[in-house]
Amino acid sequence: MGESLSTSCYRREELSAGQRIFGPALVIEPASTILIPPHYQATVDHYGIIHITE
């Protein structure tokens, strides 16, 4: 079966421009949840858009 991973959780409204999040992680907001997989990272731009890269 699957493997369990310790995962960080972030509230979308608390993220700031330039913040970097390393996966595995979850970004939680009222209407959706964003998964940042292991070995990926997310960066928040100055518009608040989350960009996920490997």
Side-chain angles (χ1 to χ4, degrees):
M1 300 287 287
E3 177 184 346
S4 293
L5 297 173
S6 180
T7 305
S8 300
C9 294
Y10 298 85
R11 296 175 75 170
R12 174 80 183 248
E13 66 270 11
E14 295 177 0
L15 300 179
S16 56
Q19 187 166 352
R20 184 170 287 166
I21 300 167
F22 297 94
L26 296 172
V27 177
I28 300 167
E29 56 187 324
S32 66
T33 301
I34 299 168
L35 168 66
I36 301 147
H39 311 293
Y40 282 71
Q41 65 181 2
T43 307
V44 182
D45 71 15
H46 63 279
Y47 294 109
I49 298 169
I50 298 173
H51 300 272
I52 300 173
T53 57
E54 190 169 18

